[in-house]
Amino acid sequence: MTTMRPLFHEIFLFLFILLSFASASGVGSQRLATPQEEQEESINHLKQIAYSNPGSPTSIDAWRQILSDDIDPKNLEAHVMLGWMLMATPPHQEEGIRLLENSFNEEKVSPTIDYNLPQTYIIAATIGRYRSQMHEYHKARKFTKIALELSKVHDNNDGGDLCIQMQLANMYDWFPNSTQAADNAITSMLSYSYKILSQDDNNDICWPVKDAEIAQMFPGASNDPYVHCSLSTFYLSFYYRADVALVSSNNYEMARRGWPKLNTTA
């Protein structure tokens, strides 16, 4: 199982998110955003504490206080900042991921996260990969698809991020509740794999996978970019109706093109 751990590049990403949200929220401004002046003063005071030492227990506690019921439980900035910090700490990953998921849900935050920010693409991809690791197919697929659509814009690539496409091409419902659900999962996998394999360097995909970029961009990917992008096909053995040989063949072909150095000749 891939462990998400804070790395040097991830700290930079964290700070990038921090600065973006700090700028948008008006930290340090004298203008009050809401009529509840006392509440707003409390929020701004706690933000100053949180931003003074990012990632520290004091910072985490400050963000938690902002999200308390008597201050602002729907605060977007606190959801994102606290979620990102906790996500990088194995004992608190689930809580962190839930907070990040909330940032996309208008019932949980106000306003919801801005899709125009490049960080949103990374956050969605991180949620999707974590939920995949936890074998939560529907959440994994939902957020990975969001990440793919956002990557098309932020990477200026009509096909979208190759690693994210490969995840969708290898992502299936580990425990489908019906034969139809199982069939739908396989259909989705094959659709994405055929799309990837039908493209080449002269189209939307540039082979091979750029491990250094993947490792730098996505939390947890640096240990093994291949595992991060390719996922596992172990549970396909339970799909008795599927053409497992075809799915496995496509999986191999994507891996062969993505990581040619892994090829061996008997």
Side-chain angles (χ1 to χ4, degrees):
M1 182 176 293
T2 303
T3 299
M4 296 181 182
R5 55 189 178 87
L7 300 174
F8 189 71
H9 66 271
E10 294 166 17
I11 294 174
F12 269 100
L13 176 59
F14 169 82
L15 292 175
F16 193 8
I17 295 174
L18 181 153
L19 292 173
S20 297
F21 279 94
S23 174
S25 62
V27 175
S29 172
Q30 296 301 313
R31 185 179 63 81
L32 298 176
T34 69
Q36 293 77 26
E37 181 175 345
E38 184 175 341
Q39 180 193 55
E40 198 67 24
E41 287 180 354
S42 297
I43 292 174
N44 286 333
H45 174 66
L46 289 167
K47 285 181 182 178
Q48 289 175 2
I49 294 174
Y51 285 127
S52 65
N53 192 8
S56 69
T58 300
S59 177
I60 291 174
D61 182 64
W63 290 121
R64 287 193 189 278
Q65 289 186 57
I66 292 175
L67 291 177
S68 63
D69 291 338
D70 56 343
I71 298 186
D72 189 5
K74 298 185 73 172
N75 188 285
L76 170 63
E77 189 177 351
H79 273 84
V80 172
M81 298 309 300
L82 180 58
W84 192 259
M85 286 188 285
L86 295 179
M87 179 274 299
T89 309
H92 303 289
Q93 280 186 346
E94 179 62 32
E95 180 186 1
I97 290 293
R98 283 202 306 268
L99 288 167
L100 293 176
E101 287 175 333
N102 287 349
S103 67
F104 293 82
N105 186 346
E106 62 183 6
E107 295 181 358
K108 300 291 186 179
V109 299
S110 180
T112 55
I113 196 167
D114 186 355
Y115 277 34
N116 292 316
L117 290 174
Q119 296 90 339
T120 304
Y121 150 41
I122 305 300
I123 290 171
T126 300
I127 295 171
R129 184 61 181 83
Y130 176 85
R131 290 303 179 197
S132 173
Q133 183 172 303
M134 295 295 106
H135 294 174
E136 298 177 58
Y137 172 71
H138 296 289
K139 285 185 177 180
R141 191 167 184 270
K142 170 187 173 180
F143 283 99
T144 305
K145 288 179 69 176
I146 291 174
L148 179 60
E149 291 306 309
L150 294 178
S151 75
K152 295 177 182 179
V153 176
H154 296 300
D155 289 350
N156 193 28
N157 182 340
D158 291 340
D161 183 273
L162 176 56
C163 177
I164 293 176
Q165 290 188 71
M166 293 183 72
Q167 288 179 8
L168 287 167
N170 290 291
M171 186 181 294
Y172 51 92
D173 195 343
W174 295 270
F175 307 106
N177 56 18
S178 68
T179 55
Q180 186 60 53
D183 291 346
N184 291 343
I186 295 299
T187 298
S188 175
M189 288 179 69
L190 290 174
S191 174
Y192 280 107
S193 64
Y194 283 141
K195 181 178 180 181
I196 292 174
L197 295 174
S198 67
Q199 302 172 33
D200 55 36
D201 289 340
N202 296 320
N203 207 326
D204 293 325
I205 289 184
C206 182
W207 302 98
V209 173
K210 297 177 176 60
D211 283 359
E213 292 183 10
I214 299 299
Q216 184 177 24
M217 186 175 296
F218 299 110
S222 59
N223 290 338
D224 194 335
Y226 170 80
V227 171
H228 182 83
C229 299
S230 189
L231 305 184
S232 170
T233 57
F234 175 79
Y235 287 89
L236 276 177
S237 58
F238 299 141
Y239 276 71
Y240 63 92
R241 287 161 54 94
D243 187 343
V244 175
L246 175 60
V247 174
S248 299
S249 175
N250 286 357
N251 178 275
Y252 166 77
E253 187 62 26
M254 287 185 290
R256 184 185 68 80
R257 297 189 191 183
W259 295 272
K261 291 183 178 180
L262 295 179
N263 290 335
T264 59
T265 303

